[in-house]
Amino acid sequence: MHSRTASCSCGQLTIEVHGEPRGVGVCHCLACQRRTGSVFAALAGFAPPYKVSGAATEYVRVGDRGAKFTFRFCPVCGTSVFHTEEGYEDRYVSVAVGAFADPTFPPPEDSVYDSRRHPWVQLPPGITRYETDPD
Ligand SMILES: [Zn+2]
Ligand SMILES: [Zn+2]
């Protein structure tokens, strides 16, 4: 099966995933803007199994609807690489698309928290927009 490896900036924290993403999305929420330092987050969900190498620091954030997300970032360089959602760890892992450093990565299908999108950010035609969190 096709595999891809996402890596932090310094290279010590990596995650290898297999197969095609189950979904690719961008999130414009203010929490994602802060946690990434960018104006939106781009995430791809992959089904297990996946393989993590290196040390990760965990940060748990509770979403607007009570979901608990555990973000993993590199303690050396600070790059956010992936996160899981409590109760769904065995179903998918969400990987930061930028950590693949692959401009041919599939484009997003969903735009979440479109109400917080910086107006200059243009999205691909046909993308599904959600004003806030869809679930
Ligand atoms: Zn690093
Ligand atoms: Zn978000």
Side-chain angles (χ1 to χ4, degrees), residues 8-13 74-79:
C8 68
S9 182
C10 78
Q12 76 83 23
L13 176 61
C74 173
V76 179
C77 71
T79 304

Side-chain angles (χ1 to χ4, degrees), residues 14-61:
T14 62
I15 180 170
E16 183 183 6
V17 292
H18 303 279
E20 289 310 302
R22 294 182 56 184
V24 183
V26 290
C27 182
H28 309 275
C29 84
L30 301 183
C32 281
Q33 295 192 25
R34 282 228 165 88
R35 79 179 174 77
T36 61
S38 183
V39 296
F40 63 89
L43 295 161
F46 287 89
Y50 54 88
K51 186 173 160 232
V52 177
S53 301
T57 299
E58 297 189 350
Y59 170 68
V60 177
R61 194 180 83 78

Side-chain angles (χ1 to χ4, degrees), residues 92-123:
Y92 67 91
V93 59
S94 297
V95 184
V97 171
F100 291 106
D102 174 12
T104 70
F105 197 88
E109 300 120 17
D110 295 313
S111 174
V112 176
Y113 274 96
D114 210 70
S115 57
R116 302 293 199 198
R117 180 171 49 83
H118 288 228
W120 56 264
V121 172
Q122 303 291 306
L123 298 169

